[in-house]
Amino acid sequence: MELHYNTDGSTPFSASTDKTVAVRDRETGERVKRLKGHTSFVSPCYPARRDPQLVCTGSDDGTVKLWDSQKKAAIQTFQNTYQVLAVTFNDTSDQIISDRIDNDIKIWDLRQNKPTYTMRGHADSVTGLSLSSEGSYLLSNAIRGCLAICSQRELACCCGPAGCSLCCGCCPKVRQSRTTRFMYALYFILVVFLCCMMMSPTVAKQMKEHIPFFEDICKGIKAGDTCETLVGYSAVYRVCFGMACFFFLFCLLTLKINTSKGCRAHIHNGFWFFKLLLLGAMCSGAFFIPDQETFLKAWRYVGAFGGFIFIVIQLLLIVEFAHKWNKNWTAGTATNKLWYASLSLVTLIMYSVAVGGLIVMAVFYTQKVGCMENKILLGLNGGLCLLISMVAISPCVQNRQPHSGLLQSGLISCYVMYLTFSALSSKPVEVVLDEHGKNVTICVPDFGQDLYRDENLVITLGTILLIGCILYSCLTSTTRSSSDALQGRYAAPELEVARCCFCFGPDGEDTEEPQNVKEGPRVIYDEKRGTVYSYSYFHFVFFLASLYVMMTVTNWFHYESASIETFFSGSWSIFWIKMASCWVCVLLYLWTLVAPLCCPSRQFSV
């Protein structure tokens, strides 16, 4: 089955189907001794590097045995659940490395007489193990031909269910749950960048000028004389339709998954190359949908509806975050009065930022004459911030909700000021004639006029900020705590443990993972006992984000004249959507305060 020389080349060892290991004469090849102890076929054997008398073996009986060729019986025996296909020693010969048909590689400590850790990553049974000459790297081979070294191990991630890791050996270990979310986010970013390019006439012009035979290529793929069907809002609608279908398909596929060990969980966490092909096929296939005019009209309404839901989810989570923050830090005041100082300091900072933001916007976005619309909106939103602050500390609300306070209203006020600033920045520039007959812009900061002249800078920074904000919203709203909050499930107040970083558990997301187990070379399989986050909800949020990107990049309801160059210079659609989001956020927070008063018989928990 397998044969090797010992470390000094004096003795050959061979494994056999007769359940024994043969010690042979180097000159004649005759068997001089049989090592008996296995109860089934002996497949692998391997001699130690440091001791010419030691040899380890593995068998179909599920055991790994350590032998001294000078003794009759095995020195040590390690029991496995499954058949053993390959064995080897580490460099110092104080550990045995073995694999099983269940794809795992185990490290056995000869001194402690037990396995110290397990390595995972292969998608099929491992059939061979080889240690590098300096003893630092282990090479493993599986039935499907994947080699577990850095670059080849990533092949198992792309073409199988193995978790992705950081390829460089000096990089830290990563959790499988995080690398999975990162890979989906990477696919999302690629499609968003593609959409931004499709909305840019400048990119289309540069391609036409610099790509040889551009028109011939366009005619060959039946995209028009100048590939006009591959640019503009209609192309973005089609590409985002494919991306939305991709995430919606995985949303349905991953419904009610509570463990990472099933087939559907393996598909969710691996096979990245095939999923990239699927995403590309879906985005490309959308260009072949018949009756494009009807499709685009219907899909526009679906996109608007999904985009609004995405915005509402983010607003709900902002309100939930404010209540969770106050509840967590208030819980700490029972044992440490310093938490009162922390609450007071953060509340003061929040209101200082909100008031400061209001003053800055009043200075730069209003003038003594004109800008009446900006003045009204700033006054209205400032008054709403004052209203929610007064309601939060009113006696009737305090009686029903003792945890209500100024910290939540301060945070909501900051967010309202941010949305107000974002809306005013998205407002189309107003141009009037001055006394010299020249066009001048009003109701915008003076320094902003020079910035807008550098079109490339505005487009680059705007695109990066847009993608960053959407990704942050997606990834923060797909945690287990956010998913539970949207479903109305909250931790009991008495179970709260005050922490500065209260968004995570005391030991991070993965508190259930044993600390004495090292999983894989650079991947930590942190979902052995259950999923860290809801797979289905994760894909649903990215499905809504796809619709939100589609509507945002195409200027919502002003899609026909939209382009990425004019997107960041202002749009009435974006202005009113952001302003409406500001008011909805205030209404949601007010509802959490007054709902217990309106419905006293119901139990509210925030």
Side-chain angles (χ1 to χ4, degrees), residues 344-391:
S344 302
L345 178 61
V346 171
T347 301
L348 180 62
I349 293 174
M350 292 289 183
Y351 275 102
S352 299
V353 171
V355 173
L358 182 62
I359 294 174
V360 169
M361 285 185 285
V363 171
F364 289 105
Y365 286 95
T366 63
Q367 297 176 357
K368 291 182 179 179
V369 180
C371 304
M372 185 56 64
E373 190 176 62
N374 289 4
K375 293 176 182 178
I376 293 174
L377 292 173
L378 287 173
L380 174 61
N381 291 349
L384 289 174
C385 293
L386 179 61
L387 173 65
I388 60 177
S389 301
M390 296 177 63
V391 172

Side-chain angles (χ1 to χ4, degrees), residues 166-437:
L166 301 178
C167 194
C168 179
C170 62
C171 294
K173 293 184 178 182
V174 290
R175 300 182 187 275
Q176 184 190 34
S177 62
R178 293 176 184 172
T179 58
T180 296
R181 285 176 282 185
F182 170 79
M183 290 299 295
Y184 283 112
L186 180 61
Y187 287 177
F188 182 83
I189 292 173
L190 292 176
V191 177
V192 174
F193 268 119
L194 178 62
C195 291
C196 292
M197 293 176 62
M198 287 178 166
M199 289 299 295
S200 175
T202 303
V203 173
K205 182 180 178 181
Q206 293 294 324
M207 292 174 62
K208 183 178 179 180
E209 293 177 354
H210 294 90
I211 297 180
F213 310 106
F214 179 75
E215 293 184 359
D216 295 335
I217 295 174
C218 292
K219 292 177 182 178
I221 61 176
K222 298 180 180 180
D225 293 339
T226 57
C227 289
E228 58 268 16
T229 60
L230 300 181
V231 296
Y233 81 93
S234 61
V236 172
Y237 274 29
R238 295 183 183 101
V239 169
C240 288
F241 173 79
M243 180 167 63
C245 289
F246 174 81
F247 284 113
F248 188 72
L249 174 66
F250 276 91
C251 176
L252 298 179
L253 179 68
T254 55
L255 280 172
K256 296 184 178 179
I257 290 183
N258 298 315
T259 175
S260 62
K261 298 180 180 179
C263 176
R264 293 186 296 156
H266 286 320
I267 295 175
H268 168 79
N269 288 312
F271 301 98
W272 295 108
F273 176 71
F274 298 111
K275 283 190 282 196
L276 181 60
L277 292 181
L278 176 62
L279 177 60
M282 286 184 164
C283 293
S284 303
F287 286 87
F288 299 95
I289 297 176
D291 195 1
Q292 291 285 332
E293 185 176 349
T294 303
F295 161 73
L296 293 176
K297 185 177 180 180
W299 185 238
R300 185 178 306 121
Y301 290 111
V302 174
F305 181 72
F308 283 126
I309 293 179
F310 181 78
I311 293 174
V312 171
I313 287 178
Q314 306 316 309
L315 297 178
L316 285 170
L317 292 176
I318 283 290
V319 175
E320 183 268 338
F321 175 83
H323 285 294
K324 182 178 180 179
W325 189 354
N326 185 76
K327 183 191 296 184
N328 185 269
W329 282 22
T330 302
T333 59
T335 56
N336 192 338
K337 302 303 180 183
L338 287 177
W339 285 107
Y340 280 120
S342 301
L343 285 167
S344 302
L345 178 61
V346 171
T347 301
L348 180 62
I349 293 174
M350 292 289 183
Y351 275 102
S352 299
V353 171
V355 173
L358 182 62
I359 294 174
V360 169
M361 285 185 285
V363 171
F364 289 105
Y365 286 95
T366 63
Q367 297 176 357
K368 291 182 179 179
V369 180
C371 304
M372 185 56 64
E373 190 176 62
N374 289 4
K375 293 176 182 178
I376 293 174
L377 292 173
L378 287 173
L380 174 61
N381 291 349
L384 289 174
C385 293
L386 179 61
L387 173 65
I388 60 177
S389 301
M390 296 177 63
V391 172
I393 59 175
S394 61
C396 53
V397 171
Q398 288 290 314
N399 289 335
R400 292 285 299 176
Q401 297 192 71
H403 292 291
S404 175
L406 291 176
L407 178 63
Q408 300 102 304
S409 57
L411 178 61
I412 298 300
S413 297
C414 283
Y415 190 66
V416 167
M417 290 298 109
Y418 159 74
L419 288 178
T420 304
F421 169 75
S422 182
L424 294 178
S425 301
S426 303
K427 187 179 177 183
V429 177
E430 298 180 43
V431 180
V432 297
L433 294 175
D434 62 5
E435 61 272 13
H436 303 292

Side-chain angles (χ1 to χ4, degrees), residues 299-606:
W299 185 238
R300 185 178 306 121
Y301 290 111
V302 174
F305 181 72
F308 283 126
I309 293 179
F310 181 78
I311 293 174
V312 171
I313 287 178
Q314 306 316 309
L315 297 178
L316 285 170
L317 292 176
I318 283 290
V319 175
E320 183 268 338
F321 175 83
H323 285 294
K324 182 178 180 179
W325 189 354
N326 185 76
K327 183 191 296 184
N328 185 269
W329 282 22
T330 302
T333 59
T335 56
N336 192 338
K337 302 303 180 183
L338 287 177
W339 285 107
Y340 280 120
S342 301
L343 285 167
S344 302
L345 178 61
V346 171
T347 301
L348 180 62
I349 293 174
M350 292 289 183
Y351 275 102
S352 299
V353 171
V355 173
L358 182 62
I359 294 174
V360 169
M361 285 185 285
V363 171
F364 289 105
Y365 286 95
T366 63
Q367 297 176 357
K368 291 182 179 179
V369 180
C371 304
M372 185 56 64
E373 190 176 62
N374 289 4
K375 293 176 182 178
I376 293 174
L377 292 173
L378 287 173
L380 174 61
N381 291 349
L384 289 174
C385 293
L386 179 61
L387 173 65
I388 60 177
S389 301
M390 296 177 63
V391 172
I393 59 175
S394 61
C396 53
V397 171
Q398 288 290 314
N399 289 335
R400 292 285 299 176
Q401 297 192 71
H403 292 291
S404 175
L406 291 176
L407 178 63
Q408 300 102 304
S409 57
L411 178 61
I412 298 300
S413 297
C414 283
Y415 190 66
V416 167
M417 290 298 109
Y418 159 74
L419 288 178
T420 304
F421 169 75
S422 182
L424 294 178
S425 301
S426 303
K427 187 179 177 183
V429 177
E430 298 180 43
V431 180
V432 297
L433 294 175
D434 62 5
E435 61 272 13
H436 303 292
K438 296 182 179 179
N439 290 331
V440 294
T441 57
I442 61 172
C443 307
V444 295
D446 293 335
F447 58 82
Q449 299 180 33
D450 295 329
L451 178 63
Y452 279 117
R453 293 194 184 102
D454 191 348
E455 192 175 81
N456 293 330
L457 177 62
V458 173
I459 294 171
T460 303
L461 292 178
T463 303
I464 292 174
L465 288 174
L466 173 68
I467 296 174
C469 291
I470 294 174
L471 275 181
Y472 176 79
S473 299
C474 290
L475 296 177
T476 55
S477 61
T478 53
T479 59
R480 176 70 70 181
S481 59
S482 298
S483 176
D484 290 344
L486 289 174
Q487 300 176 54
R489 298 197 297 261
Y490 301 91
E494 59 272 10
L495 300 179
E496 286 284 344
V497 178
R499 297 180 301 275
C500 292
C501 299
F502 61 91
C503 296
F504 300 98
D507 299 313
E509 281 183 320
D510 318 306
T511 55
E512 76 277 0
E513 186 67 17
Q515 298 299 315
N516 59 343
V517 179
K518 301 178 181 178
E519 297 289 356
R522 283 181 291 276
V523 179
I524 301 175
Y525 289 81
D526 56 338
E527 296 184 308
K528 292 172 63 178
R529 297 188 181 180
T531 57
V532 171
Y533 60 100
S534 171
Y535 293 171
S536 181
Y537 175 67
F538 172 85
H539 290 294
F540 180 70
V541 169
F542 269 92
F543 163 73
L544 296 178
S546 303
L547 302 180
Y548 177 77
V549 166
M550 180 184 78
M551 298 305 294
T552 302
V553 172
T554 58
N555 256 352
W556 287 84
F557 303 109
H558 292 80
Y559 50 88
E560 292 182 346
S561 59
S563 69
I564 201 66
E565 282 81 1
T566 60
F567 171 74
F568 300 106
S569 61
S571 166
W572 284 112
S573 294
I574 296 177
F575 168 76
W576 285 115
I577 286 172
K578 290 182 177 179
M579 197 58 69
S581 300
C582 172
W583 298 332
V584 170
C585 182
V586 172
L587 291 176
L588 288 173
Y589 176 64
L590 279 176
W591 173 248
T592 63
L593 298 179
V594 302
L597 302 178
C598 300
C599 307
S601 59
R602 291 189 58 185
Q603 181 67 31
F604 292 89
S605 177
V606 290

